[in-house]
Amino acid sequence: MAFQSIWYFTDIPNKIIDIIEEDLKENFDPQLQDSKVGGGDYGTVDKDKRNARNAWVPTTHWVAGFVWHYVQRANRENFLYDLTNIDGESLQYTVYGEGEYYGWHKDITGKEISQKKRYCSLVIQLNDGYENGDLELKLSDTDLIKVEKGIGNVILFLSDIEHRVTAVTDGVRYTLVNWV
């Protein structure tokens, strides 16, 4: 799928995702805090827009190199941007418990994309043992994509695409997110 607004990959072995999930839980669960809206550490908690918890994984952690491989692959196969690093030099490990969600939003505006601050958003699904908690992308008022759930699914999409995570109704949703 060359030169589309979305790139999708599903072949990361479950054993590798299990190792990533276990490492993140062990090292970053103690750092989980209420997720903010509007700029990482500089944003504000707004549970009406976003109700989840996250921790920041530095790019010096081994998993960042693994994620960077998929960013580069997606970029090479689809986007062809001049990417140099992960935005903010960190990844977001995000946990959605029952009733938690993230409402419709864009990770960046089209103007900021043209200024080369952030091009793409990436989500790696670390588990599938939850109900609802769907990642939905709104390509237009009539074109809505519900991303297939699956352990190890990777989706990279343009950061100016409006998207959301619906409320989890059972279980816990674990993801690794970053922007480039």
Side-chain angles (χ1 to χ4, degrees):
M1 158 170 55
F3 308 111
Q4 301 293 315
S5 55
I6 299 168
W7 182 86
Y8 189 67
F9 181 78
T10 61
D11 287 339
I12 299 175
N14 286 2
K15 287 182 180 181
I16 295 198
I17 294 301
D18 289 345
I19 291 168
I20 292 171
E21 184 180 10
E22 180 181 321
D23 185 284
L24 293 174
K25 284 180 178 180
E26 180 179 324
N27 292 299
F28 295 97
D29 270 9
Q31 299 175 34
L32 288 170
Q33 297 182 353
D34 286 341
S35 297
K36 297 179 180 179
V37 176
D41 289 334
Y42 305 104
T44 58
V45 173
D46 183 346
K47 298 250 181 184
D48 290 332
K49 292 182 181 177
R50 184 180 193 190
N51 186 6
R53 293 164 293 133
N54 71 274
W56 296 100
V57 179
T59 54
T60 54
H61 188 275
W62 69 268
V63 77
F66 179 83
V67 169
W68 186 246
H69 163 78
Y70 286 97
V71 169
Q72 294 288 45
R73 180 175 172 186
N75 188 51
R76 184 176 58 251
E77 292 178 2
N78 192 66
F79 300 108
L80 300 177
Y81 286 123
D82 184 19
L83 303 178
T84 58
N85 64 299
I86 291 171
D87 186 44
E89 296 295 323
S90 61
L91 309 168
Q92 186 182 98
Y93 166 55
T94 310
V95 178
Y96 295 86
E98 289 184 32
E100 295 182 334
Y101 61 92
Y102 195 168
W104 288 111
H105 67 285
K106 295 180 181 184
D107 291 334
I108 208 129
T109 67
K111 181 180 178 184
E112 290 166 320
I113 283 179
S114 67
Q115 294 171 348
K116 299 183 180 182
K117 292 185 178 178
R118 183 184 282 177
Y119 295 107
C120 298
S121 302
L122 173 131
V123 178
I124 299 177
Q125 296 178 18
L126 300 176
N127 71 323
D128 61 2
Y130 56 93
E131 296 296 323
N132 295 310
D134 297 309
L135 173 61
E136 296 179 340
L137 307 174
K138 188 187 293 185
L139 301 181
S140 70
D141 288 338
T142 59
D143 193 8
L144 181 73
I145 294 173
K146 183 165 97 172
V147 175
E148 180 183 338
K149 285 184 200 166
I151 297 171
N153 286 358
V154 178
I155 184 165
L156 202 85
F157 56 93
L158 296 180
S159 292
D160 65 344
I161 292 177
E162 195 170 14
H163 58 285
R164 72 176 177 178
V165 175
T166 63
V168 172
T169 57
D170 187 45
V172 180
R173 178 182 194 261
Y174 296 93
T175 59
L176 192 58
V177 178
N178 86 315
W179 306 270
V180 291

